Amino acid sequence: MLFGLVSKLIFYILKAAVPHNVKMQFECTRTSFSQKSQTASLCSQTASASNSDLSMRTLSTPSPVLISPPSAQSFQNGRASSTSSSSVTGETIAMIHSQPPFLIPQCAIRPASRLQKEQAPIDRLPDQTLIQMFSHLPTNQLCRCARVCRRWYNLCWDPRLWRTIRLTGETMNVDRALRVLTRRLRQDTPNVCLMLETVIVQSCRRLTDRGLYTIAQCCPELRQLEVPGCYNISNEALYDVVSRCPNLEYLDVSGCSKITCISLTREASIKLSPLHGKQISIRYLNMTDCFVLEDEGLHTIAAHCTQLTHLYLRRCIRVTDEGLRYLMLYCTSIKELSVSDCRAVSDFGMREVAKLEAHLKYLSIAHCGRITDVGIRYIAKYCSKLRYLNARGCEGITDHGIEYLAKNCTKLKSLDIGKCPLVSDAGMEFLAMNCYNLKRLSLKSCESITGRGLKIVAANCFELQMLNVQDCDISVEALRFVKRHCKRCIIEHTNPAFF
C-alpha cells in the first residue's frame, strides 16, 4: 500500500515537471500516427477494388467543360515539385470521373432522403404535356432535348413534332443536317417522311442542290418550302422538288439569284399528260430579288403554275410588260401581285393586270416610274375590289388618277402614294369623300399636300389607324386635328413641335 502511494506521488511530480508544449507535440504526434495508420489501411483495402473497377476514369470523350489539362509544375527554391498526379502521367482526365483525394467511410455517408428518391417535377408530367411543350421549340433545340434522357429521346422524335423543320445560320452545314434528320424520320416509315410538310431554311449559303435533292426524295407530302437567301441552289434541284412533291403549295425562293424558272423535270413531263402544267399546285410564289428572271422564264412559270394566287416579283428588273401578258394568259386567279422596282413595267402592263378584275385585292407598283394616271385608270376601272395599293415613287400619278381610284375602288383600306409630287389636296378630297374605310395612308414626301387636305381626310375617315406625313409641310394644328378625330391613329411625322 505504501508502494502504491509512492508511485502516484512520483507520477504527479513528473507530470508537473514536463513542459506544456512538449505534451501537445506528443499528443499531436500520436494522433497523426493513428490517422496515418487508418488511412494506410483504408487505401490498402481499396487498392484491389480500384484495380478491378476502372469506372473512375472516363473511357469516352468527355465534355470540354469537364476536361482538366495536365497541371503545371511549380518551382520552389529552385526545385521542381509536381502539383498533381495528372502532371506526372501527362494524361487528361475528366474531372467528374477523377479519383477523390480521400475516401469517406461508409458509416459517414448519410442515406438519401425521401425527397431525393422522388422524381423531378418535370418527370411527373404526362407524355402529352411534354409533347405539347416540345412542339413550341425550334428544330435545333428539339434535337438538344432529345439528348437529355431516354424518355425525352422517344418523345422528341414523335412524328407529330416533325411537321416542320426550321434551320437558320450562314455557317450551318444544311445539306448534312437535312440528310441526318430525314434519315431519322424515315425509320418508322418506308423510306419517306410522311409527316413532314414544311421545310424552312433561311439565309444558309451552304444549302446546295444536294440538300434540295434530299428533300425531293424523302418528303413527298411537302406543302411549304422556304429557302430565302440560299443563293447556291439552281433550277435543276428546284425542278426535282416541284416534280416529286405534288402537294407543294407555298414556295419562297427570294434572293436565290440562280433561279430563272420553275418547271417540271423532263422525265416528269413525259410521264404526265399534255396538260401536265396543271400538276404543279403552287399557289404562293415569292421570287423577290431573282435578278435573272426574264419574260421567257415568267412565261414558263405561268404555264406550269396556273393555280397561283400570290405572286411577288419585287426587284426582278428584267421583267417587262410582255412577261405580265404571259402571266395573265394562264394565271387568272391572282389575288396579290407585286412588281415593285420592276422599272420596265409601264401602263401597258397595268392594262394586262387589269384583266384579273375582281380577283385582284393587293397590288404593289412602287417605284415603277413608267406608270401614270393611264395605268391607274385601268386598275380602277376593272379591279373594283382592290384593298391595297402601293404606288410610292410613281411620279406620273396626279390628282386625276387618285380621283379614278377613289370613285371606283371604294373599299380601299391601304394606300401608299408617297413621293408622288403631283398629288395635292384635291386628290385628298376625292379620297376622303369616297374611301370611308381607309385605315392606312402614306403621304411621305408629298410636297403639294397641306394641312387642309389632311383635315378633310381626318374628318371623313374615322377608322384611320396609320398616317405617314414625313417630310410634308403640315402644321401642328392640322396634326392635332387628326389626332382629335382619329383617336386610334398613329401619326408618323417630322414636325418636332408636335408630340
Side-chain angles (χ1 to χ4, degrees):
M1 183 175 181
L2 182 60
F3 177 79
L5 293 174
V6 173
S7 62
K8 289 183 178 180
L9 181 60
I10 293 171
F11 175 78
Y12 287 114
I13 292 173
L14 293 174
K15 182 177 182 182
V18 176
H20 180 70
N21 55 354
V22 176
K23 292 190 294 181
M24 293 299 295
Q25 182 177 1
F26 174 76
E27 292 176 359
C28 293
T29 304
R30 183 176 60 182
T31 305
S32 177
F33 179 77
S34 61
Q35 290 179 352
K36 288 182 179 180
S37 60
Q38 293 177 4
T39 304
S41 61
L42 289 173
C43 291
S44 62
Q45 293 175 5
T46 58
S48 59
S50 63
N51 292 333
S52 59
D53 185 9
L54 299 179
S55 61
M56 301 305 293
R57 290 180 181 267
T58 178
L59 299 179
S60 59
T61 304
S63 173
V65 181
L66 303 176
I67 291 180
S68 174
S71 302
Q73 293 181 347
S74 61
F75 291 86
Q76 298 177 356
N77 298 327
R79 295 180 180 179
S81 61
S82 176
T83 59
S84 67
S85 60
S86 61
S87 62
V88 177
T89 59
E91 296 176 348
T92 299
I93 302 174
M95 293 299 293
I96 196 170
H97 297 293
S98 62
Q99 185 81 8
F102 59 89
L103 297 176
I104 302 176
Q106 293 293 332
C107 60
I109 300 177
R110 183 180 298 177
S113 62
R114 180 182 301 177
L115 294 177
Q116 292 175 343
K117 292 181 179 180
E118 293 181 355
Q119 292 181 339
I122 196 170
D123 291 335
R124 303 177 191 174
L125 298 176
D127 291 350
Q128 294 299 327
T129 304
L130 286 175
I131 290 176
Q132 184 66 25
M133 294 168 59
F134 292 153
S135 65
H136 299 282
L137 296 178
T139 301
N140 58 339
Q141 297 295 335
L142 190 60
C143 293
R144 291 179 180 178
C145 288
R147 301 170 62 182
V148 172
C149 61
R150 187 177 297 276
R151 182 194 179 198
W152 282 30
Y153 177 85
N154 294 328
L155 293 178
C156 286
W157 286 107
D158 188 289
R160 290 170 292 181
L161 297 177
W162 292 94
R163 297 182 184 273
T164 300
I165 291 179
R166 185 187 300 271
L167 301 173
T168 58
E170 293 185 358
T171 59
M172 177 183 292
N173 191 346
V174 183
D175 294 345
R176 182 177 180 275
L178 290 173
R179 185 171 63 253
V180 172
L181 289 174
T182 53
R183 182 187 304 166
R184 177 58 182 83
L185 295 174
R186 285 181 295 166
Q187 288 185 359
D188 301 329
T189 53
N191 300 323
V192 291
C193 305
L194 292 178
M195 300 297 293
L196 188 58
E197 296 180 351
T198 303
V199 176
I200 302 174
V201 183
Q202 295 181 346
S203 302
C204 295
R205 57 183 177 83
R206 299 185 66 180
L207 175 66
T208 63
D209 291 347
R210 293 182 179 179
L212 290 187
Y213 288 139
T214 301
I215 295 174
Q217 294 173 3
C218 304
C219 309
E221 299 298 325
L222 190 68
R223 295 181 178 273
Q224 180 174 342
L225 176 63
E226 298 183 38
V227 287
C230 301
Y231 49 81
N232 285 321
I233 61 176
S234 64
N235 289 339
E236 289 71 19
L238 197 59
Y239 292 171
D240 200 44
V241 172
V242 171
S243 301
R244 291 174 177 265
C245 304
N247 297 324
L248 187 64
E249 297 180 349
Y250 189 108
L251 180 60
D252 184 354
V253 291
S254 57
C256 301
S257 55
K258 295 182 180 180
I259 301 299
T260 62
C261 185
I262 296 175
S263 177
L264 295 170
T265 60
R266 181 176 301 179
E267 294 77 7
S269 300
I270 294 175
K271 293 179 181 179
L272 295 174
S273 63
L275 298 177
H276 63 273
K278 296 183 178 179
Q279 299 296 325
I280 299 181
S281 56
I282 294 178
R283 298 178 182 273
Y284 179 102
L285 178 59
N286 189 350
M287 299 191 69
T288 300
D289 293 323
C290 292
F291 308 113
V292 294
L293 177 65
E294 297 181 350
D295 292 340
E296 191 62 31
L298 189 58
H299 185 189
T300 305
I301 292 172
H304 288 81
C305 306
T306 57
Q307 301 181 35
L308 277 176
T309 57
H310 297 70
L311 178 61
Y312 304 94
L313 303 174
R314 303 183 188 99
R315 291 180 291 279
C316 295
I317 55 178
R318 299 186 182 183
V319 173
T320 66
D321 298 334
E322 187 68 15
L324 294 181
R325 187 180 69 85
Y326 292 143
L327 187 65
M328 300 310 147
L329 288 176
Y330 301 96
C331 304
T332 58
S333 301
I334 293 179
K335 297 179 180 179
E336 295 190 8
L337 175 65
S338 175
V339 289
S340 299
D341 294 283
C342 297
R343 302 183 185 276
V345 174
S346 66
D347 293 333
F348 294 102
M350 292 300 97
R351 184 181 62 182
E352 299 298 328
V353 172
K355 295 178 181 179
L356 294 172
E357 298 182 348
H359 293 286
L360 189 65
K361 302 293 191 303
Y362 171 106
L363 178 62
S364 178
I365 52 175
H367 304 290
C368 294
R370 299 177 64 182
I371 295 178
T372 64
D373 289 342
V374 177
I376 295 298
R377 187 168 184 173
Y378 279 123
I379 298 297
K381 182 178 181 180
Y382 295 101
C383 304
S384 58
K385 293 186 178 181
L386 192 68
R387 300 289 189 274
Y388 176 97
L389 176 63
N390 182 1
R392 174 177 294 192
C394 297
E395 298 180 355
I397 296 178
T398 67
D399 292 333
H400 296 289
I402 301 300
E403 179 183 0
Y404 296 140
L405 185 68
K407 290 183 177 180
N408 291 275
C409 302
T410 56
K411 296 182 179 180
L412 197 66
K413 292 185 177 181
S414 180
L415 177 63
D416 188 345
I417 50 175
K419 298 183 179 180
C420 294
L422 300 180
V423 177
S424 65
D425 293 339
M428 294 298 98
E429 185 174 356
F430 290 120
L431 200 63
M433 294 302 176
N434 295 278
C435 302
Y436 303 108
N437 297 323
L438 197 63
K439 294 185 178 181
R440 301 174 65 90
L441 178 62
S442 178
L443 306 173
K444 183 178 180 179
S445 301
C446 290
E447 302 172 354
S448 301
I449 295 178
T450 64
R452 174 180 169 275
L454 212 59
K455 289 181 180 179
I456 297 175
V457 172
N460 293 273
C461 304
F462 301 108
E463 297 185 7
L464 197 63
Q465 298 178 3
M466 195 284 293
L467 176 64
N468 188 344
V469 289
Q470 294 177 342
D471 301 323
C472 295
D473 188 14
I474 306 297
S475 64
V476 177
E477 180 188 358
L479 294 176
R480 290 175 179 171
F481 184 90
V482 174
K483 199 63 179 176
R484 284 197 305 268
H485 288 76
C486 305
K487 299 184 181 300
R488 299 175 58 188
C489 183
I490 298 175
I491 303 176
E492 298 181 10
H493 62 91
T494 53
N495 193 332
F498 178 75
F499 54 90

